[in-house]
Amino acid sequence: MKVVVLTGAGISAESGVPTFRDSDGLWEGHDVMEVATPEGFAANPVLVQRFYDLRRAHLAKVEPNAAHVALARLEESLGDDLLVITQNVDDLHERAGSTRVLHMHGELLSALCLSCGARFPWETDLSDSPPCPACGESTLRPDVVWFGEIPYRMDEALQALQEADLFVAVGTSAQVQPAAAFVHWAAEQGARTLEINLAGTISTDDFDESRQGRAGDLLPQWVE
Ligand code: BV8
């Protein structure tokens, strides 16, 4: 059985990584358009670099939770028949042991050079304009997908959704496209669909089944 699991900020909430739209959301004090768009970066690169430096540094202080571990265990039994497509830019799936993870919105621990296009694993600050290890230019940006930018590896994601027998969305408010459309693309070709989320979302009615509660509780139960 082929399974695609889409994860959002809610799966990392119990690890202490703030979500975007809950009351303590990341965006507080920052307008989305100010910190998560190319225009915002062009207008105030230091503010945006600092926003991501803070989140990158915070990653070192958090751990994967039972939900991440449950998906890593699921991969042990399903192998290549499981793909986790995450909207998250943290590395908690990998640190829990998942190896088949598609970061459609990029990764905090990666830097992208605007001059030469090279990418590098990156754990420290970018707001002090370090030189690109490849071309030497001080033009590194967070390797994340901002609003208005094209999500990464969409062709692989679409292929997996086409072949899926089961599509599960975990911890996402279904507010961001094209991720929010995945349930429709999966259902259209006959996949069963399950939503696991703390609360109902605008997409709940589009799923065959919806389980409401904390991912750290519900996902281990579902995987068992
Ligand atoms: C694109 C990376 C073209 C950076 C992010 C008008 C209509 C429709 C679409 C658009 C439109 N205008 C513009 C668009 C497109 C736009 C978009 O969707 N805008 C929205 C806001 C209207 N999208 C884009 O620009 C995308 N690009 O469309 O290109 C294209 C289209 C198709 C194919 C190819 C190209 C690019 C969007 C990427 C933006 N970058 N992140 C960063 O992280 O800083 S988005 C950001 O939001 C994160 O990735 C985050 O994951 C994502 C979605 O949020 P969620 O993960 O859902 O998190 P949220 O806080 O919202 O919800 C958390 C949920 O968890 C809640 O439901 C909560 O109840 C639940 N929860 C909380 N605790 C728990 C829990 N659940 C379980 N257990 C818990 N303990």
Side-chain angles (χ1 to χ4, degrees), residues 56 108-111 120-126 130-133 140:
R56 193 176 302 108
L108 269 178
L109 296 179
S110 175
F120 310 90
W122 205 271
E123 302 199 346
T124 54
D125 287 355
L126 287 172
C132 166
L140 294 174

Side-chain angles (χ1 to χ4, degrees), residues 1-17:
M1 174 168 82
K2 286 188 172 292
V3 181
V4 171
V5 180
L6 170 70
T7 64
I11 199 169
S12 297
E14 291 159 72
S15 295
V17 178

